[in-house]
Amino acid sequence: MEKHIIPADQFPVKIDNNIYMLGNYFFNLFLVIGKHQSAIFEVGISAVADAVISQLEGLNVQPNFLISSHPHSDHITGLPGLAERFPKAQIIAAQGAREFLEHPKAGALLFKEDRFMGKRLADFHLTPGRPSLETIPDLKNADIVTGKKRLDLGGISLDLIKAEGHSPGSIIGIVPERKIIFCSDSLGFHFPGRGYQPLFFTRADAYISTLNFILDFKPAIICPAHQGPLKGDDALKGAKNSLNITLDIIKMIQNSSLPDEVLAEKIFKQSYKDEFTIYTEDNIKNCSHLLVKRAKEAATL
């Protein structure tokens, strides 16, 4: 893993003209700067909020839009810090995100995971800029995307499209003029040099459809939310690799005679290493159980 890590002092990373990657190696946020407005896609975790604020100040940018890709802990807990610093910015989220956060169990899980992720970043000498989250992120005044929404930033567009398969309340972003896609976790979790961990937590068939959408778009640059972007040939190769791995793991689960518990433990042991240890064991074990459940709910491949 160490050879793939992008050093913190290299952030912000220029992805394309007027498009930057903020945050750090583990948690990537993407800034799109137009002639009149700017937008951040992804809001990260509370531990990276101050680094992102500093990076924005270094670029002399005050974003007009803060876009949460989906309401999982590693994609929403940075919102309060960013919203406090940039109070005029319009928050954007997908339909279903607010309801997910309002679930009675959401708060405790968000706080636990956010606290753990901050401590793990410190293990990699990425010191959190603030204490972990104590209040659930507020989406009551967010602009809600129900299908597709275009942000005209001035000379550059950012299309926001509701995505299915990974999480409730999920969106992906596209810069059509540049063939750039901000796919969040819809590509799976990328282990540079090793492949992808599928993340079809709501519906496997919808997750596959989203992967096919990414492939059909023929992106020049794919920007997942973790471990940096994929450019050129690596972009299409990465999407194809993720789709093939996803299909293989679904087939493995569907064709196995092993009990669900054993299958989930097998998936956990294979995946919980390197970058994935930024999350709690309980979280990834729950994710492994979800993969087994969703694979068995899907049509037989």
Side-chain angles (χ1 to χ4, degrees):
M1 178 179 71
E2 295 293 333
K3 68 178 181 179
H4 297 290
I5 289 180
I6 304 169
D9 61 6
Q10 290 187 20
F11 285 79
V13 177
K14 189 173 183 178
I15 301 297
D16 198 64
N17 190 31
N18 290 328
I19 300 179
Y20 294 85
M21 179 171 66
L22 311 178
N24 59 42
Y25 171 73
F26 296 96
F27 301 102
N28 308 159
L29 294 75
F30 297 94
L31 171 67
V32 183
I33 305 172
K35 293 178 182 178
H36 308 302
Q37 294 181 307
S38 62
I40 293 179
F41 188 91
E42 298 286 4
V43 294
I45 67 172
S46 63
V48 305
D50 290 289
V52 170
I53 289 167
S54 177
Q55 290 160 11
L56 287 166
E57 290 173 344
L59 293 168
N60 195 29
V61 171
Q62 294 207 22
N64 302 94
F65 302 99
L66 299 173
I67 305 162
S68 173
S69 64
H70 61 283
H72 286 164
S73 56
D74 54 331
H75 298 267
I76 194 67
T77 57
L79 180 60
L82 295 177
E84 180 183 34
R85 174 61 181 83
F86 305 109
K88 294 182 180 180
Q90 174 65 60
I91 297 169
I92 300 178
Q95 186 178 36
R98 181 177 176 182
E99 292 79 1
F100 183 92
L101 291 175
E102 289 175 348
H103 190 281
K105 294 182 179 179
L109 294 173
L110 281 176
F111 303 153
K112 175 184 177 182
E113 203 67 21
D114 189 59
R115 184 166 56 250
F116 183 86
M117 290 184 290
K119 289 179 178 178
R120 284 294 286 139
L121 283 182
D123 293 338
F124 293 96
H125 309 292
L126 296 167
T127 304
R130 63 179 61 205
S132 57
L133 195 72
E134 294 182 352
T135 58
I136 295 175
D138 186 2
L139 295 180
K140 68 175 181 292
N141 294 319
D143 186 3
I144 301 299
V145 176
T146 59
K148 181 177 179 180
K149 179 182 181 67
R150 169 162 288 190
L151 301 179
D152 183 354
L153 303 176
I156 190 168
S157 304
L158 178 58
D159 290 341
L160 304 175
I161 302 169
K162 197 167 189 304
E164 305 292 344
H166 170 63
S167 164
S170 181
I171 47 179
I172 58 178
I174 289 176
V175 180
E177 301 93 341
R178 313 278 183 84
K179 300 294 285 186
I180 298 173
I181 187 164
F182 307 117
C183 67
S184 194
D185 285 347
S186 291
L187 197 70
F189 190 86
H190 185 207
F191 296 95
R194 274 207 302 126
Y196 298 83
Q197 173 66 17
L199 302 174
F200 45 89
F201 297 152
T202 57
R203 282 173 47 209
D205 57 341
Y207 183 86
I208 291 169
S209 294
T210 300
L211 280 171
N212 280 318
F213 173 85
I214 294 170
L215 279 166
D216 292 343
F217 180 66
K218 295 181 172 58
I221 304 175
I222 295 179
C223 298
H226 312 282
Q227 286 81 252
L230 304 168
K231 296 185 176 183
D233 290 342
D234 287 341
L236 277 177
K237 287 178 182 177
K240 289 176 182 176
N241 189 17
S242 178
L243 177 59
N244 290 333
I245 291 172
T246 298
L247 294 173
D248 286 345
I249 198 169
I250 292 172
K251 288 178 184 176
M252 182 276 291
I253 292 169
Q254 291 181 343
N255 295 331
S256 177
S257 60
L258 294 173
D260 289 2
E261 287 288 332
V262 176
L263 281 171
E265 183 65 18
K266 178 180 178 181
I267 292 168
F268 169 75
K269 288 181 177 179
Q270 289 175 343
S271 64
Y272 195 64
K273 58 187 71 173
D274 299 332
E275 289 89 351
F276 232 23
T277 63
I278 205 80
Y279 308 107
T280 64
E281 286 192 24
D282 285 346
N283 183 2
I284 304 307
K285 284 181 177 179
N286 288 335
C287 290
S288 300
H289 282 278
L290 262 181
L291 291 179
V292 173
K293 181 179 180 180
R294 300 307 183 211
K296 291 196 170 185
E297 290 173 348
T300 303
L301 297 179

